[in-house]
Amino acid sequence: MTSNQDLIATPTAFDLAAYLTDRQPRVEAALDASIRPAYPDTIYAAMRYSLLAGGKRLRPILCLASCEAVGGDPDLALPMACALEMIHTMSLIHDDLPAMDNDDYRRGKLTNHKVYGDDIAILAGDGLLAYAFEYIATQTQGVSADRVLKAIAHLARAVGANGLVGGQVVDLESEGKSDISIETLIYIHNHKTGALFQSSVVCGAILAGATTAEIEKLAKFAQNIGLAFQIIDDILDITATGAELGKTAGKDVEAQKATYPKLWGLAESRHQADKLVAEAKTILAEFGDRALPLQALADYITDRKN
Ligand code: GRG
């Protein structure tokens, strides 16, 4: 997990390190409580192994921060925040499988299939995906049913063929090709990574009762930071060590993946990420101080080291 020390340099008056020191343990505790060991032991152990393996918890924290940005009590969005992390975790489990990216390490630990085998890893991902939606529907309290339904619909769309699944398919089909266009690369990143970032921010706002205009602005903010996040991910794959990343470094080059640094070089890629974050922060200006956590999280996306 990122040390809070890495986050202190954020160029805003808002104390992101203190904010994360409060939020990350709350998210960890909620995740631990969300899925308890049960029968059949193996599947619950496999689901908990990856869900509780650390990670930055960015998607849940973005969801809670977005809820706050429109005046909501973040506790309303805690089940949604947990569900987002369940879905993110299942996408990592499936992404790491031999049939996809074939990775041995994730979050500094052996990948799910290395510990439990491919069969259980697939099922652990499936179990987390289904439970995420059950969890939102059954655990969200103090929010009207129409808001919960709207948030579930948004999240489901972000996960399916119009979101993560679609982005992963185009990513897999692009491997080894030298003529991938910038439009295709943006499609991959907007869907594979951006869609869940966007849903994290949008669903937090929906649950808090945001207006359509507020949701549109937050969606654009999230699209920008999602794309910036993936550009930085591509850069870190080249510049960071495996120990820093908690997973194998240099995988993109090895798999001949289309990445921003490959198309634009490192300097231009960083410039584009910085530009996207600057634009994103401008969009939030009218939300005032309530959006300071989101503003600081946007900065963190380009400052991060893992
Ligand atoms: C969603 C139904 C369904 C299937 C999965 C495999 C797949 C389809 C999609 C791949 C999605 C994927 C792995 C995108 C990469 C996203 C990304 C940048 C991950 C790293 O996120 P961090 O840095 O990780 O936030 P931590 O470990 O900190 O949570």
Side-chain angles (χ1 to χ4, degrees):
M1 187 184 290
T2 309
S3 82
N4 290 332
Q5 207 56 40
D6 291 342
L7 306 165
I8 286 165
T10 303
T12 146
F14 182 77
D15 188 348
L16 182 60
Y19 183 78
L20 292 176
T21 299
D22 174 66
R23 287 302 150 94
Q24 280 169 333
R26 277 170 71 176
V27 170
E28 289 303 327
L31 287 172
D32 187 25
S34 69
I35 303 180
R36 301 304 304 160
Y39 181 82
D41 302 359
T42 317
I43 191 65
Y44 283 97
M47 287 158 70
R48 281 174 57 84
Y49 174 79
S50 292
L51 187 66
L52 305 178
K56 297 177 286 295
R57 310 310 196 191
L58 259 180
R59 292 150 192 84
I61 290 170
L62 279 168
C63 174
L64 301 176
S66 179
C67 182
E68 274 181 276
V70 293
D73 173 355
D75 281 346
L76 297 179
L78 200 52
M80 170 62 73
C82 290
L84 287 157
E85 191 64 25
M86 289 175 202
I87 291 171
H88 169 54
T89 300
M90 75 72 54
S91 81
L92 300 179
I93 296 174
H94 282 193
D95 191 54
D96 290 336
L97 286 165
M100 299 224 199
D101 272 8
N102 193 18
D103 254 302
D104 291 353
Y105 290 95
R106 170 72 70 176
R107 294 171 165 174
K109 296 175 74 172
L110 282 172
T111 44
N112 200 288
H113 66 273
K114 281 278 157 190
V115 177
Y116 294 98
D118 294 3
D119 46 5
I120 295 296
I122 292 167
L123 292 165
D126 295 343
L128 283 168
L129 180 61
Y131 190 58
F133 288 100
E134 177 185 339
Y135 201 68
I136 301 165
T138 60
Q139 301 301 314
T140 305
Q141 280 167 12
V143 181
S144 64
D146 62 323
R147 283 185 199 169
V148 177
L149 197 60
K150 196 170 161 191
I152 287 176
H154 195 281
L155 180 57
R157 186 167 167 82
V159 170
N162 190 53
L164 268 76
V165 169
Q168 179 77 346
V169 168
V170 180
D171 192 20
L172 291 171
E173 288 174 351
S174 302
E175 269 182 34
K177 290 188 187 160
S178 56
D179 58 348
I180 298 302
S181 67
I182 190 69
E183 289 77 21
T184 303
L185 189 57
I186 289 174
Y187 179 94
I188 293 170
H189 290 351
N190 271 344
H191 289 76
K192 203 179 113 168
T193 306
L196 200 56
F197 268 83
Q198 199 175 59
S199 218
S200 304
V201 170
V202 168
C203 289
I206 290 174
L207 294 178
T211 64
T212 306
E214 285 173 329
I215 291 171
E216 273 169 19
K217 290 195 180 86
L218 287 166
K220 178 65 186 143
F221 162 84
Q223 189 182 30
N224 273 33
I225 64 165
L227 195 50
F229 184 89
Q230 185 59 57
I231 295 174
I232 297 296
D233 223 58
D234 288 356
I235 293 174
L236 290 174
D237 186 69
I238 296 168
T239 60
T241 64
E244 284 169 319
L245 296 177
K247 61 179 184 179
T248 317
K251 286 284 286 189
D252 294 343
V253 176
E254 188 193 307
Q256 296 180 285
K257 282 218 175 189
T259 65
Y260 277 88
K262 195 171 161 186
L263 273 180
W264 287 343
L266 283 173
E268 179 59 18
S269 300
R270 172 153 282 282
H271 173 68
Q272 291 293 334
D274 288 341
K275 205 169 127 192
L276 284 161
V277 166
E279 272 173 24
K281 290 174 66 182
T282 308
I283 296 167
L284 283 194
E286 70 185 62
F287 287 78
D289 283 0
R290 286 198 306 212
L292 281 177
L294 281 183
Q295 299 271 22
L297 286 162
D299 278 326
Y300 164 65
I301 281 179
T302 42
D303 292 345
R304 71 198 174 98
K305 304 284 180 288
N306 71 3

